Amino acid sequence: MIKDDFFIDAFEPLWLTIENIGPFRESPYEIDFTDAENQPCNIFLLMSQNGRGKTTLLEIMYCLMSLLGEDKPTRFGHEDLDDGRGRVQWDLRVKLDWRGEKHCVVLSLLAGSLGEDQPAMKIWTDRELEKYGATAWHSLGFRHLVGHLERIGKGDPLVDDLLGYIRAEISSPPEGFEQPTLSLPTLLYFSAYRDIEAISSMERFIIEPEKWGYYPVHDITREDGTWTRALDNLLVWLKWLDDGRFERAIKLVNDRVFDKNKYIKGIRRIPPEAIIMVNGTERHRLDRLSSGEKSLVQMFLRIGAHMTRNSIIIIDELDVHLHSIWQHAILNLLKELVREHPGITVIASTHSREILGAFPIDIPEEGIRKGGDIIRTDLLLEGTSD
């Protein structure tokens, strides 16, 4: 059985190469996700002013990871890839146990207008592989042809087994599902709109949330007021499962977002929803939190519910809705997260000078491998020259 032959120890970004997509049209644009010791960063910031391509880069990574769950996709889900103009390559270092042996390989996720004989944009030589401790190069993706997409890397035994494992897990029943122990990779994409909306319908049932179970990608965007997509529904569902995950999720948020005088207590029965306590009194629902609190609660509850041992967490506009004090705090909270869960990688975009000032890449921190990319050279901290 494929599952018995597969265990992923690490799934870490190395490089992203992008061309003819969004603002990146003049020449291929590359991002190096490694530190000075050639190790993949576990916290990486994309920095620039608005309109320079930060969101585009995050969306592209989401689209590439979504290919892991697609057997025969008909589109990529991004306009510049779907119209045949753009192309992209995301290289990841994957450490795994496969067929009784340990391997360290580079896996390239490819998409777009790519050649048939040599679809890759970045060619991995033996010397380049050795630089990152890898011994082999594998590729997976689809190239754009007229009217359809053609699979890249077909017939590669390692890639085929990986896809088989992923698709078996997607189709398996979610009962007894313990996602944090699962070694398969997942990407959680948090858009800049991380609000918690008031639930418009009072018809609330104990019902499985959307995309419950394992998926290679989760798109956490603005809620729409429906019960199935609501954060309250997720908490009610976890409470109903009664397998310890509700308590872990609540502790994750209470420890990181609130203080001892304010916390999520539990679930109200009628109507079913989370209870916020303030100074010992039931005060309000999740949607009545401040905008900054809602952003953080949305983020950490979804991470707690959907992360695996190997998760890439992508956050657009890390500083949105956050006071400058919270902007410093969110970095410390994410550092705690990656220290506690070594398989997690956080990639976030920002244009906040407060966050940049609190993120000195050249100062070592235990358990943290920091990196960043200034998408245009016109965003520099005052007093710096590069």
Side-chain angles (χ1 to χ4, degrees):
M1 188 175 180
I2 292 176
K3 291 185 180 182
D4 297 330
D5 292 335
F6 235 100
F7 185 87
I8 299 176
D9 292 307
F11 195 88
E12 305 161 312
L14 292 176
W15 286 85
L16 179 68
T17 309
I18 184 170
E19 184 178 26
N20 285 332
I21 296 175
F24 307 101
R25 300 196 182 276
E26 295 180 1
S27 60
Y29 190 85
E30 292 187 317
I31 295 178
D32 180 358
F33 290 105
T34 65
D35 64 12
E37 278 70 50
N38 298 320
Q39 293 302 305
C41 297
N42 54 11
I43 297 184
F44 192 93
L45 293 186
L46 293 169
M47 300 161 277
S48 79
Q49 296 175 340
N50 285 329
R52 299 301 174 91
K54 299 188 302 296
T55 299
T56 297
L57 294 170
L58 301 182
E59 290 174 344
I60 287 297
M61 286 184 275
Y62 173 87
C63 290
L64 287 168
M65 274 291 288
S66 68
L67 295 177
L68 294 177
E70 298 285 342
D71 185 17
K72 296 180 180 178
T74 58
R75 57 192 299 271
F76 295 111
H78 193 282
E79 180 181 357
D80 291 332
L81 290 174
D82 289 328
D83 67 10
R85 290 181 295 175
R87 57 178 185 159
V88 63
Q89 175 174 338
W90 194 16
D91 304 302
L92 303 111
R93 187 175 72 177
V94 183
K95 297 180 179 179
L96 70 160
D97 297 341
W98 177 56
R99 298 186 179 181
E101 296 182 358
K102 291 188 177 296
H103 300 262
C104 180
V105 306
V106 170
L107 175 65
S108 295
L109 302 182
L110 305 158
S113 179
L114 299 159
E116 182 176 2
D117 295 333
Q118 184 52 264
M121 301 172 67
K122 178 179 174 62
I123 307 301
W124 285 84
T125 64
D126 290 342
R127 184 176 179 180
E128 282 287 304
L129 292 172
E130 184 180 359
K131 181 179 178 181
Y132 299 103
T135 58
W137 177 27
H138 301 264
S139 61
L140 165 67
F142 294 85
R143 68 190 191 98
H144 189 281
L145 298 179
V146 178
H148 71 284
L149 304 181
E150 182 180 72
R151 164 86 181 273
I152 296 168
K154 195 171 184 178
D156 183 321
L158 186 147
V159 172
D160 288 345
D161 278 1
L162 172 62
L163 293 179
Y165 183 9
I166 287 173
R167 288 159 191 172
E169 196 66 43
I170 292 174
S171 61
S172 64
E175 286 78 18
F177 170 72
E178 272 290 352
Q179 189 141 328
T181 66
L182 187 67
S183 76
L184 283 175
T186 189
L187 182 147
L188 279 61
Y189 174 65
F190 290 92
S191 76
Y193 304 101
R194 300 185 288 273
D195 200 5
I196 300 174
E197 300 283 351
I199 301 166
S200 57
S201 172
M202 293 303 292
E203 295 183 0
R204 306 179 190 179
F205 308 95
I206 297 176
I207 186 171
E208 183 177 299
E210 288 187 2
K211 293 187 75 174
W212 180 249
Y214 172 73
Y215 287 86
V217 293
H218 289 272
D219 185 5
I220 296 100
T221 56
R222 184 198 298 269
E223 295 181 3
D224 58 6
T226 61
W227 176 240
T228 56
R229 296 189 62 185
L231 199 58
D232 278 294
N233 177 44
L234 173 62
L235 288 173
V236 169
W237 179 255
L238 291 175
K239 183 69 173 177
W240 178 80
L241 289 176
D242 193 25
D243 59 3
R245 275 179 286 179
F246 174 81
E247 289 75 16
R248 288 201 299 272
I250 294 302
K251 187 177 188 304
L252 184 71
V253 170
N254 287 340
D255 289 351
R256 284 172 165 79
V257 179
F258 299 124
D259 57 33
K260 62 181 180 180
N261 296 316
K262 188 173 188 177
Y263 57 94
I264 300 177
K265 177 183 178 181
I267 297 296
R268 181 182 289 114
R269 290 183 176 272
I270 303 175
E273 61 188 13
I275 302 169
I276 302 291
M277 299 290 288
V278 181
N279 295 323
T281 304
E282 294 185 14
R283 292 293 295 273
H284 50 63
R285 307 183 304 265
L286 292 178
D287 63 270
R288 293 185 179 177
L289 294 168
S290 71
S291 58
E293 288 173 326
K294 286 193 284 187
S295 176
L296 294 174
V297 168
Q298 182 77 266
M299 188 184 304
F300 284 105
L301 278 179
R302 300 290 184 182
I303 290 172
H306 298 304
M307 73 177 184
T308 66
R309 289 171 57 96
N310 295 293
S311 292
I312 299 173
I313 298 169
I314 289 182
I315 307 167
D316 196 9
E317 302 291 0
L318 181 62
D319 50 287
V320 71
H321 300 310
L322 297 180
H323 185 272
S324 59
I325 295 175
W326 273 112
Q327 290 180 24
H328 286 261
I330 186 62
L331 277 178
N332 291 328
L333 295 175
L334 292 172
K335 288 175 184 177
E336 289 178 16
L337 185 69
V338 299
R339 286 192 182 105
E340 293 172 6
H341 303 277
I344 285 180
T345 299
V346 175
I347 301 173
S349 72
T350 184
H351 53 73
S352 165
R353 292 184 180 273
E354 285 79 9
I355 286 181
L356 300 188
F359 194 71
I361 294 176
D362 57 340
I363 299 179
E365 297 183 63
E366 184 178 356
I368 306 298
R369 300 184 304 276
K370 296 177 286 186
D373 186 87
I374 298 177
I375 298 177
R376 288 292 186 269
T377 57
D378 56 358
L379 181 62
L380 298 174
L381 292 175
E382 293 180 7
T384 65
S385 59
D386 54 34

